[in-house]
Amino acid sequence: LHKTINFCQNNIVYSKKMVLRGLHFQKKPYSQAKYISVIKGEILDVVVDIRKKSKTYSKYFSVKLSEANNLSIFIPDGFAHGYLTLSDEAYVSYSVDKYYNPESESGISYKDKFIDIDWGFDDKNFIISAKDKKLNSFDW
């Protein structure tokens, strides 16, 4: 089954080393597919399946994306997304297929015990926005 994806917006985000962003997602009907690439630097990109009827519900996948390995990742809607900046600085490009809708914005805490993501570093070193520090655990 193939679905056509029409990206409507491209964003570029700058982060310093140990900045952790996420885990973010948009609720239906504004859920977004994303295409993530690193223009400069390196990140650990993490994707969590939040589709309740999926065989991989609540499981995560992580991959290092960098300017050196030139990898990109496509994330379908129905997944939460976050990343940790590993290099001194990083420029991350992400395209989305739906515009941002503030009322449907949601997320999961990066340190959720149920998902138990291995970020590879002590979280005392992470730089996290006040907004992301308030994200809920994965208990729904």
Side-chain angles (χ1 to χ4, degrees):
L1 195 103
H2 291 77
K3 178 181 174 183
T4 300
I5 303 293
N6 295 310
F7 292 112
C8 61
Q9 182 177 338
N10 188 60
N11 306 293
I12 297 177
V13 179
Y14 170 81
S15 298
K16 295 178 185 177
K17 188 171 190 164
M18 290 294 124
V19 167
L20 190 144
R21 299 187 184 273
L23 303 157
H24 302 140
F25 63 94
Q26 297 264 123
K27 296 176 186 173
K28 290 185 178 188
Y30 299 101
S31 56
Q32 298 171 318
K34 297 177 181 176
Y35 185 78
I36 312 292
S37 301
V38 172
I39 299 167
K40 181 179 181 183
E42 181 179 35
I43 64 171
L44 176 67
D45 201 86
V46 175
V47 181
V48 179
D49 188 348
I50 58 173
R51 302 168 300 163
K52 290 187 177 179
K53 294 181 181 178
S54 170
K55 291 179 184 177
T56 57
Y57 176 66
S58 79
K59 303 296 183 213
Y60 79 92
F61 169 82
S62 65
V63 63
K64 286 184 181 177
L65 304 178
S66 71
E67 66 181 308
N69 67 21
N70 204 29
L71 295 175
S72 297
I73 186 170
F74 174 75
I75 305 166
D77 61 354
F79 290 79
H81 174 252
Y83 63 87
L84 175 65
T85 305
L86 303 175
S87 52
D88 288 339
E89 62 181 4
Y91 288 89
V92 177
S93 170
Y94 66 98
S95 300
V96 295
D97 69 339
K98 291 190 182 71
Y99 290 105
Y100 170 74
N101 180 280
E103 291 78 37
S104 71
E105 180 181 42
S106 193
I108 303 166
S109 173
Y110 76 94
K111 59 183 177 180
D112 179 85
K113 292 186 186 337
F114 181 75
I115 300 170
D116 195 27
I117 296 169
D118 179 5
W119 292 99
F121 295 90
D122 185 336
D123 70 351
K124 292 176 186 163
N125 298 318
F126 294 168
I127 302 166
I128 303 167
S129 71
K131 183 171 129 181
D132 283 358
K133 285 180 181 177
K134 295 177 185 176
L135 292 176
N136 297 318
S137 61
F138 189 79
D139 59 0
W140 31 274

